[in-house]
Amino acid sequence: MSRVTVKDKTFETSLTEAQIKARVKELARQMSADLAGTNPLLLGVLNGAFIFAADLMREMTIPCEISFVKLASYQGTTSTGKVKEVMGINEDLTGRTVVIVEDIVDTGQTMKSMVESIGTRNPAAVHICTLFVKPDKLKEPIDIRYAAFSIPNDFIVGYGLDYDQQGRGLREIYTLVEE
């Protein structure tokens, strides 16, 4: 396992680039089959999900569209528990199948808030697709239809996920090493 230093913390490889790419391809295949005929709108949550959303869309085999929303709930390595919308949705969602594309779901509060907000805009369906879910940390009963990986309650960086805005460009996923 290789190690990297991001700012003042050390991280160790937990998922390789090949493992991530293979799982993203599988998810795209499943979503393409499930959502055929719907022209889904992939709604990427910035900043963390931008790489995942782009790779997922490139692997989709059905027509789909993409847009982004920016929310904030993290400071450093911990969630503040409060979701703040920084950049909202401009598209008309009436009758659309919307797939929220998120980097990581831990407590579920952000996703619950987003699903409720999108639901007021009359979509045909709203699904959640996340790269990571932390089942032991979930506090909200949410339906995560598409999850690439289920992970323990560790802090991770890479493939779009950051530590104080650093480490997003790493091609692999690295887990914080407690020293």
Side-chain angles (χ1 to χ4, degrees):
M1 289 196 174
S2 65
R3 286 187 170 205
V4 296
T5 299
V6 179
K7 291 186 89 169
D8 58 341
K9 306 230 180 274
T10 302
F11 296 84
E12 190 169 76
T13 306
S14 51
L15 285 170
T16 66
E17 183 178 13
Q19 289 172 304
I20 297 164
K21 283 184 174 184
R23 187 64 185 116
V24 170
K25 192 171 195 151
E26 283 176 38
L27 263 186
R29 195 172 313 136
Q30 181 187 358
M31 289 171 60
S32 294
D34 293 351
L35 304 175
T38 67
N39 188 30
L41 173 65
L42 305 181
L43 189 59
V45 181
L46 296 173
N47 289 335
F50 79 103
I51 293 173
F52 174 46
D55 287 351
L56 184 68
M57 184 176 196
R58 284 192 296 234
E59 294 293 343
M60 297 287 289
T61 59
I62 61 171
C64 58
E65 298 171 26
I66 193 163
S67 188
F68 291 91
V69 63
K70 185 167 184 175
L71 308 173
S73 68
Y74 260 80
Q75 237 175 5
T77 61
T78 56
S79 176
T80 62
K82 293 181 178 148
V83 179
K84 184 173 90 179
E85 189 173 289
V86 181
M87 184 176 83
I89 305 164
N90 295 323
E91 283 72 23
D92 179 8
L93 304 182
T94 305
R96 297 290 310 266
T97 295
V98 178
V99 180
I100 301 168
V101 181
E102 177 67 296
D103 58 352
I104 189 164
V105 174
D106 46 30
T107 65
Q109 291 170 319
T110 301
M111 282 301 96
K112 181 179 183 227
S113 173
M114 258 192 97
V115 169
E116 288 171 355
S117 175
I118 291 169
T120 67
R121 298 176 69 171
N122 303 314
V126 179
H127 305 293
I128 298 170
C129 175
T130 186
L131 184 59
F132 297 104
V133 64
K134 294 181 177 180
D136 295 341
K137 203 167 176 197
L138 279 174
K139 293 180 182 172
E140 300 292 340
I142 55 172
D143 178 22
I144 301 172
R145 186 162 182 187
Y146 306 102
F149 299 98
S150 187
I151 62 170
N153 190 24
D154 295 327
F155 189 79
I156 58 176
V157 297
Y159 195 69
L161 289 90
D162 73 299
Y163 166 52
D164 276 348
Q165 299 302 321
Q166 299 296 306
R168 288 189 198 280
L170 297 168
R171 294 177 177 269
E172 300 183 317
I173 293 295
Y174 295 83
T175 301
L176 179 64
V177 175
E178 298 296 335
E179 295 178 340

